[in-house]
Amino acid sequence: MFYRKDGGYHDLDAVAEYLYNALPLFFDTDDFTQETKIEDVKNDAAFGGANGYGKLIFPIESSYYSGETLKDLSLTWYNYIDPNKTVEIVKYMKSHALNGHKIFFDIYTNDEKRNDPEKKNTGLFFFKGNPGAKFAIVNAGGGFAYVGAMHDSFPHALELSKKGYNAFALIYRPGAETACEDLARAIAFIFEHADELEIDTNGYSLWGGSAGGRMAAWLGSYGTETFGERKFPRPAAVIVNYTGLSEVTGLEPPTFSAVGKNDWIANWKTMKARLDSISKLGIATEFVAFEGLSHGFGLGTGTVAEGWLDKAVKFWEFVDIR
């Protein structure tokens, strides 16, 4: 096999990319398939075994998901889950973990987790892009009852990393207030560890669907200082998908929103009215509504929404250079 990468050059990143893409041709380093049991992924030694961070790949609140295997995964309030993407994600995670890349970061100290045990079930999964590239934080929804990351944040973060961006998927505590506190802490953590993470903190973006969309919107409007952290720069853009948020403060960052017109949880007209109000304030917005689409479409693979992420990235880039 021969592979030529335009713009590539010989360095440790090239070595890591080789290990990720080429070695599986010779060794069975990625043993996950659609038939793999979810519990086997959670307990895989690459993620620290039974006591590692693998338990956070799927919802801690197990009553909100069903299915024994990756193919059968179902998440409450979500639709259009793509088993191929699920397998790709866990293979990506395992391959990078085995190659010595740190793919998970705690955002709270051990003392903080001892004082508040619920903080043990938080953290950032890192999908690394190009060194020195700007970053995005993607927040899955789940009604503030659980975190549907496998469909609503991991796929987005992986695709953003393929485009060169440094992408993080946040696992947060249930509850609107605690979720926003965790997102504020995540922003603080990334800014404070920017050199270690090899990221540019300028012009970052916050993404989210459903409850995660509200988190992105609230942090964008109110800032980290409202949720227990010191003041950090606001995002250049927020991507707020399928959530029925109507409030407008006048402090909103440029906002992109996508929703399905058959969404019985987040009415598309409510979302459009919000973006119209933001636009009237002179703030850049972009709104897309997809015919016949239900709630929680994630990347929209195989639906009329497929490709919306590319539009959101273009919006982010456009507002960031204005």
Side-chain angles (χ1 to χ4, degrees):
M1 188 174 99
F2 178 78
Y3 173 56
R4 174 178 174 177
K5 181 176 181 180
D6 291 338
Y9 53 93
H10 191 271
D11 62 1
L12 289 177
D13 289 330
V15 173
E17 186 172 357
Y18 164 76
L19 291 171
Y20 176 59
N21 290 296
L23 287 188
L25 296 173
F26 306 100
F27 304 100
D28 186 20
T29 59
D30 288 324
D31 52 357
F32 296 141
T33 71
Q34 290 192 20
E35 303 303 325
T36 300
K37 292 183 178 180
I38 291 171
E39 287 300 312
D40 290 342
V41 175
K42 291 165 63 175
N43 296 321
D44 195 284
F47 309 134
N51 297 315
Y53 59 82
K55 64 183 179 180
L56 301 179
I57 295 174
F58 297 91
I60 288 292
E61 299 75 16
S62 59
S63 61
Y64 288 96
Y65 78 88
S66 61
E68 185 177 358
T69 67
L70 297 179
K71 178 178 67 176
D72 299 328
L73 175 66
S74 178
L75 297 167
T76 303
W77 303 309
Y78 281 106
N79 295 283
Y80 318 108
I81 296 175
D82 179 9
N84 291 320
K85 181 59 67 174
T86 302
V87 172
E88 181 187 1
I89 288 163
V90 294
K91 281 187 172 184
Y92 169 95
M93 288 179 170
K94 182 171 182 176
S95 175
H96 280 254
L98 290 176
N99 285 317
H101 301 161
K102 191 166 184 179
I103 66 167
F104 179 80
F105 292 87
D106 285 306
I107 56 175
Y108 290 107
T109 66
N110 289 334
D111 285 342
E112 288 173 317
K113 288 185 285 186
R114 277 192 290 269
N115 292 333
D116 184 353
E118 289 188 357
K119 290 180 178 178
K120 293 179 180 179
N121 296 325
T122 64
L124 284 168
F125 282 92
F126 186 24
F127 296 76
K128 190 172 180 61
N130 295 331
K134 59 188 176 183
F135 75 92
I137 304 177
V138 190
N139 307 281
F144 291 119
Y146 80 102
V147 183
M150 185 53 75
H151 179 60
D152 207 24
S153 62
F154 292 160
H156 309 56
L158 179 57
E159 293 306 307
L160 288 169
S161 72
K162 291 178 183 179
K163 294 177 181 294
Y165 302 103
N166 291 295
F168 299 86
L170 174 65
I171 307 300
Y172 56 86
R173 291 169 293 166
E177 182 69 25
T178 49
C180 289
E181 289 174 2
D182 293 344
L183 179 51
R185 171 57 67 93
I187 294 169
F189 177 89
I190 293 169
F191 269 82
E192 291 166 356
H193 295 83
D195 290 341
E196 171 192 346
L197 296 167
E198 296 184 304
I199 57 123
D200 182 2
T201 57
N202 294 310
Y204 74 97
S205 59
L206 298 179
W207 299 56
S210 199
R214 293 185 180 232
M215 294 164 60
W218 285 330
L219 265 294
S221 296
Y222 297 111
T224 52
E225 64 273 24
T226 303
F227 300 101
E229 300 295 327
R230 65 184 176 90
K231 186 175 182 179
F232 288 91
R234 303 288 178 90
V238 294
I239 286 65
V240 181
N241 285 357
Y242 40 79
T243 190
L245 184 64
S246 58
E247 69 179 57
V248 175
T249 66
L251 301 173
E252 284 72 24
T255 303
F256 176 101
S257 289
V259 68
K261 286 192 173 182
N262 197 35
D263 190 331
W264 57 271
I265 295 176
N267 189 289
W268 72 273
K269 293 181 180 179
T270 300
M271 294 188 63
K272 186 176 187 305
R274 179 174 186 266
L275 261 69
D276 287 345
S277 296
I278 295 173
S279 183
K280 289 177 182 177
L281 297 172
I283 301 168
T285 65
E286 185 174 342
F287 178 79
V288 288
F290 299 103
E291 294 288 346
L293 207 63
S294 301
H295 188 76
F297 49 80
L299 288 181
T301 305
T303 75
V304 293
E306 188 166 350
W308 74 261
L309 184 138
D310 293 332
K311 294 180 180 179
V313 168
K314 289 179 180 178
F315 176 83
W316 174 22
E317 289 292 359
F318 171 73
V319 298
D320 188 32
I321 63 175
R322 291 183 64 184

